[in-house]
Every structure is written in structure tokens, then in C-alpha cells.
Amino acid sequence: MSLHEKILLLKNEISKGVIGQDQMINSILIGLFTDGHILLEGVPGLAKTTTVKAVANAIDLEFKRVQFTPDLLPSDILGVQIYNMKTQEFSIKKGPIFTNLLLADEINRAPAKVQSALLESMQEKQVTIADNTFKIDKPFLVLATQNPIDQEGAYTLPEAQLDRFMFKVVVDYNNKEQEYEIAKKATMNSFETINKIIDKNTLEQIKEEIKNIHIDKELEEYIVDIICATRNPSDYALEEISDYIHFGASPRATIDMFKAVKANAYIRGNDYVSPLDVALVIKDVLRHRIILSYEAQAQEINVDDLIQKIIEKVDIP
């Protein structure tokens, strides 16, 4: 069985426990295949946690979940140094961050100290407890969720933290047929058990194959043009949106776009990147990295609409 056939089998297996939400599943797989962290935004009950658990089960990965609250401490996530009175020695008790898949549930409820502690782990793939530094085993992926409608007791995520996420995926409601199927299976408790489809070694093989996916120079330049258009819209005849963007996307956006389009092409069964792959991931890569101006916020301008205007203006190769 080829690696691509295993990916199709993997997606089918995940769908046993998750009905619909194909975009969320694809995004999580892209994150896993490229070591990119994912931010999932959606109202409660849209199977965000269920999807992450299903992916962990199907890929034979260790999974841990942390419910973020305003009274959470960095040590609750990272771990703590404990003094043993019998041996009169200190020992390290590692926290839930030492895992493969960490679900940070309602991440925007955590205070600034917790955010900064998580930041090092996401970027450096290591944790500092007391004077000791520990490497986190690979693969390591943070899948964070936030609720867009309940802002009481919530902290706005810093831009530096948001930039560490490869994707910000907006999770929407299921359609009518999917909702009916969910309700039937949930009331009858008839969701199937998810079997392990691929192991960590297979995951590493997939990552290596994705690196070899071909992308034309013209398409690479097209991606860079889109990123640059978020910073200097007037250079691309986009004067009508220049007052709405305070800061454009960072260089990490370009790096993540290059990785994401290759992974998306691979999941679709192609050995080359097409403009469609760019279109399918661009909003997820950019929507959390474009900082709107006060004027845009006052007029309730949607960042996805600005990205769409940029896509329509920049010439496709």
C-alpha cells in the first residue's frame, strides 16, 4: 500500500468518529505533516476535541488535553520541581506538554505567564523547568481552540503567539444531513472504534515525501507577492484596502505557505503544487497574521474579505 493510499485510509478512519468537518481534518493533517501548530476557532460543540482525539488514535500518537482557565499556572502545563523530604533531593514532575498532540482547550482564557511559557515550547520544542531544559519528543503539535463568542474572562492572544500558529481554522456548523447523522449516532452510541492506521515511522516517511513535492518558481513568487501585498497594498494597486491593514503578514507566513501548499498537494494525491493548493490554504495561513487598523475595526471589516481582494488582484501564474 502506497503512502497516499494510507492517507486516504487514515481520513476514512477519522471520519468514523467525526462526521463532516473535512476542512478541519485536512488542516490538522497538514499541521502534523509539516510540524505546524493549529488554532481552531469555533463555537462549542463542533467536534474540535473529538477530531483531535480521533487523529491521535488513528496515527498512534500520545494525546493530552489541558483546559485553560484564568487561574492556570505555567507549572500546570510545563511541570514542576518537587522536593522529596525522604531522599532530600529534588525531582522533576513533567507536565502534560510532554506529549505528541497537546489540545490547549480555550487557550485565550490563559493569563500572560502561561502564554509565554507555551510560546517557548511551540517555537523551540523544549521546556525549561527550574534550571533544567528538556527536549520535547517529536512529533509535537499544539492544537489550540478558542470560542469567538464568549469573551468574559478571556485574554486576547498576543500577536507573537498567534504568529506561531501555521493555521487559524474557522470551524463552522455541519450541514443538515450531517447534523441528523450526528444526532442519530450520538443517541444510539453507535460511533465506531478508531483503529491505528499509521505509526510514527510512516509519519516521518510522509514528511520526507512532502519535502520533495515540486513547486514552480513562478508559483513561489506568486505566494511571496500575496504576502507582500498584505504589507504594501498600494504596490499592487490595492489602495482601497491600504487604510484597513495596520501590519501585514510576517515572514513566517511565507514559510508556512510554502510548507502548507506542498502538504495540501500531497494529500490531494499530486506530486506538484497548483494554484488551487494556494487558494485552499491561503486564508487559514493569513487570517490571524494580518492586523487590522482601528478604521477597519470601527467599520467591522472582515480580514477574510481583505485576503479575498488581494487574491483577486494579484495575477495567478
Side-chain angles (χ1 to χ4, degrees), residues 269-282:
N270 297 328
D271 58 2
Y272 62 91
V273 176
S274 73
L276 178 59
D277 295 304
V278 178
L280 289 172
V281 303
I282 185 111

PDB file of all heavy atoms in Angstrom, residues 269-282:
ATOM      1  N   GLY A 269      -3.085  13.975  -3.562  1.00  0.00           N
ATOM      2  CA  GLY A 269      -2.581  12.922  -4.436  1.00  0.00           C
ATOM      3  C   GLY A 269      -1.722  13.411  -5.576  1.00  0.00           C
ATOM      4  O   GLY A 269      -1.431  12.643  -6.514  1.00  0.00           O
ATOM      5  N   ASN A 270      -1.263  14.676  -5.519  1.00  0.00           N
ATOM      6  CA  ASN A 270      -0.426  15.223  -6.581  1.00  0.00           C
ATOM      7  C   ASN A 270       1.032  15.283  -6.142  1.00  0.00           C
ATOM      8  O   ASN A 270       1.331  15.358  -4.946  1.00  0.00           O
ATOM      9  CB  ASN A 270      -0.902  16.633  -6.959  1.00  0.00           C
ATOM     10  CG  ASN A 270      -2.312  16.628  -7.518  1.00  0.00           C
ATOM     11  OD1 ASN A 270      -2.730  15.668  -8.163  1.00  0.00           O
ATOM     12  ND2 ASN A 270      -3.060  17.693  -7.273  1.00  0.00           N
ATOM     13  N   ASP A 271       1.948  15.285  -7.121  1.00  0.00           N
ATOM     14  CA  ASP A 271       3.370  15.414  -6.804  1.00  0.00           C
ATOM     15  C   ASP A 271       3.894  16.806  -7.167  1.00  0.00           C
ATOM     16  O   ASP A 271       5.089  17.029  -7.269  1.00  0.00           O
ATOM     17  CB  ASP A 271       4.200  14.331  -7.506  1.00  0.00           C
ATOM     18  CG  ASP A 271       4.034  14.353  -9.022  1.00  0.00           C
ATOM     19  OD1 ASP A 271       3.296  15.235  -9.532  1.00  0.00           O
ATOM     20  OD2 ASP A 271       4.631  13.487  -9.697  1.00  0.00           O
ATOM     21  N   TYR A 272       2.974  17.730  -7.386  1.00  0.00           N
ATOM     22  CA  TYR A 272       3.334  19.117  -7.694  1.00  0.00           C
ATOM     23  C   TYR A 272       2.272  20.040  -7.094  1.00  0.00           C
ATOM     24  O   TYR A 272       1.125  19.638  -6.857  1.00  0.00           O
ATOM     25  CB  TYR A 272       3.426  19.334  -9.205  1.00  0.00           C
ATOM     26  CG  TYR A 272       2.114  19.101  -9.922  1.00  0.00           C
ATOM     27  CD1 TYR A 272       1.211  20.149 -10.145  1.00  0.00           C
ATOM     28  CD2 TYR A 272       1.749  17.829 -10.348  1.00  0.00           C
ATOM     29  CE1 TYR A 272      -0.014  19.927 -10.775  1.00  0.00           C
ATOM     30  CE2 TYR A 272       0.534  17.600 -10.975  1.00  0.00           C
ATOM     31  CZ  TYR A 272      -0.335  18.656 -11.180  1.00  0.00           C
ATOM     32  OH  TYR A 272      -1.551  18.431 -11.793  1.00  0.00           O
ATOM     33  N   VAL A 273       2.659  21.290  -6.864  1.00  0.00           N
ATOM     34  CA  VAL A 273       1.745  22.281  -6.293  1.00  0.00           C
ATOM     35  C   VAL A 273       1.063  23.045  -7.422  1.00  0.00           C
ATOM     36  O   VAL A 273       1.709  23.457  -8.391  1.00  0.00           O
ATOM     37  CB  VAL A 273       2.506  23.267  -5.371  1.00  0.00           C
ATOM     38  CG1 VAL A 273       1.570  24.355  -4.847  1.00  0.00           C
ATOM     39  CG2 VAL A 273       3.154  22.518  -4.217  1.00  0.00           C
ATOM     40  N   SER A 274      -0.239  23.250  -7.301  1.00  0.00           N
ATOM     41  CA  SER A 274      -1.004  24.027  -8.281  1.00  0.00           C
ATOM     42  C   SER A 274      -1.573  25.275  -7.599  1.00  0.00           C
ATOM     43  O   SER A 274      -1.599  25.353  -6.362  1.00  0.00           O
ATOM     44  CB  SER A 274      -2.146  23.184  -8.853  1.00  0.00           C
ATOM     45  OG  SER A 274      -3.171  23.023  -7.880  1.00  0.00           O
ATOM     46  N   PRO A 275      -2.037  26.265  -8.391  1.00  0.00           N
ATOM     47  CA  PRO A 275      -2.663  27.452  -7.776  1.00  0.00           C
ATOM     48  C   PRO A 275      -3.852  27.105  -6.882  1.00  0.00           C
ATOM     49  O   PRO A 275      -4.145  27.837  -5.936  1.00  0.00           O
ATOM     50  CB  PRO A 275      -3.113  28.271  -8.995  1.00  0.00           C
ATOM     51  CG  PRO A 275      -2.157  27.889 -10.075  1.00  0.00           C
ATOM     52  CD  PRO A 275      -1.872  26.428  -9.851  1.00  0.00           C
ATOM     53  N   LEU A 276      -4.522  25.973  -7.157  1.00  0.00           N
ATOM     54  CA  LEU A 276      -5.643  25.564  -6.314  1.00  0.00           C
ATOM     55  C   LEU A 276      -5.182  25.282  -4.885  1.00  0.00           C
ATOM     56  O   LEU A 276      -5.891  25.599  -3.924  1.00  0.00           O
ATOM     57  CB  LEU A 276      -6.314  24.314  -6.910  1.00  0.00           C
ATOM     58  CG  LEU A 276      -7.482  23.729  -6.101  1.00  0.00           C
ATOM     59  CD1 LEU A 276      -8.600  24.755  -5.919  1.00  0.00           C
ATOM     60  CD2 LEU A 276      -8.014  22.458  -6.753  1.00  0.00           C
ATOM     61  N   ASP A 277      -3.996  24.686  -4.737  1.00  0.00           N
ATOM     62  CA  ASP A 277      -3.460  24.412  -3.402  1.00  0.00           C
ATOM     63  C   ASP A 277      -3.245  25.706  -2.627  1.00  0.00           C
ATOM     64  O   ASP A 277      -3.495  25.756  -1.421  1.00  0.00           O
ATOM     65  CB  ASP A 277      -2.149  23.627  -3.510  1.00  0.00           C
ATOM     66  CG  ASP A 277      -2.353  22.246  -4.105  1.00  0.00           C
ATOM     67  OD1 ASP A 277      -3.165  21.485  -3.558  1.00  0.00           O
ATOM     68  OD2 ASP A 277      -1.707  21.943  -5.119  1.00  0.00           O
ATOM     69  N   VAL A 278      -2.798  26.738  -3.324  1.00  0.00           N
ATOM     70  CA  VAL A 278      -2.617  28.045  -2.683  1.00  0.00           C
ATOM     71  C   VAL A 278      -3.968  28.587  -2.225  1.00  0.00           C
ATOM     72  O   VAL A 278      -4.126  29.041  -1.089  1.00  0.00           O
ATOM     73  CB  VAL A 278      -1.936  29.046  -3.647  1.00  0.00           C
ATOM     74  CG1 VAL A 278      -1.792  30.423  -2.985  1.00  0.00           C
ATOM     75  CG2 VAL A 278      -0.569  28.530  -4.087  1.00  0.00           C
ATOM     76  N   ALA A 279      -4.958  28.504  -3.112  1.00  0.00           N
ATOM     77  CA  ALA A 279      -6.291  29.032  -2.794  1.00  0.00           C
ATOM     78  C   ALA A 279      -6.920  28.308  -1.605  1.00  0.00           C
ATOM     79  O   ALA A 279      -7.644  28.921  -0.815  1.00  0.00           O
ATOM     80  CB  ALA A 279      -7.196  28.915  -4.018  1.00  0.00           C
ATOM     81  N   LEU A 280      -6.627  27.007  -1.463  1.00  0.00           N
ATOM     82  CA  LEU A 280      -7.261  26.207  -0.411  1.00  0.00           C
ATOM     83  C   LEU A 280      -6.695  26.487   0.984  1.00  0.00           C
ATOM     84  O   LEU A 280      -7.366  26.222   1.980  1.00  0.00           O
ATOM     85  CB  LEU A 280      -7.124  24.714  -0.730  1.00  0.00           C
ATOM     86  CG  LEU A 280      -7.977  24.200  -1.894  1.00  0.00           C
ATOM     87  CD1 LEU A 280      -7.619  22.762  -2.237  1.00  0.00           C
ATOM     88  CD2 LEU A 280      -9.470  24.316  -1.587  1.00  0.00           C
ATOM     89  N   VAL A 281      -5.468  27.004   1.059  1.00  0.00           N
ATOM     90  CA  VAL A 281      -4.857  27.197   2.387  1.00  0.00           C
ATOM     91  C   VAL A 281      -4.586  28.664   2.740  1.00  0.00           C
ATOM     92  O   VAL A 281      -4.303  28.966   3.891  1.00  0.00           O
ATOM     93  CB  VAL A 281      -3.535  26.391   2.515  1.00  0.00           C
ATOM     94  CG1 VAL A 281      -3.763  24.913   2.263  1.00  0.00           C
ATOM     95  CG2 VAL A 281      -2.456  26.934   1.600  1.00  0.00           C
ATOM     96  N   ILE A 282      -4.686  29.554   1.771  1.00  0.00           N
ATOM     97  CA  ILE A 282      -4.198  30.923   1.987  1.00  0.00           C
ATOM     98  C   ILE A 282      -4.890  31.659   3.132  1.00  0.00           C
ATOM     99  O   ILE A 282      -4.250  32.327   3.936  1.00  0.00           O
ATOM    100  CB  ILE A 282      -4.287  31.748   0.676  1.00  0.00           C
ATOM    101  CG1 ILE A 282      -3.668  33.127   0.866  1.00  0.00           C
ATOM    102  CG2 ILE A 282      -5.707  31.919   0.196  1.00  0.00           C
ATOM    103  CD1 ILE A 282      -2.431  33.335   0.127  1.00  0.00           C
TER     104      ILE A 282
END
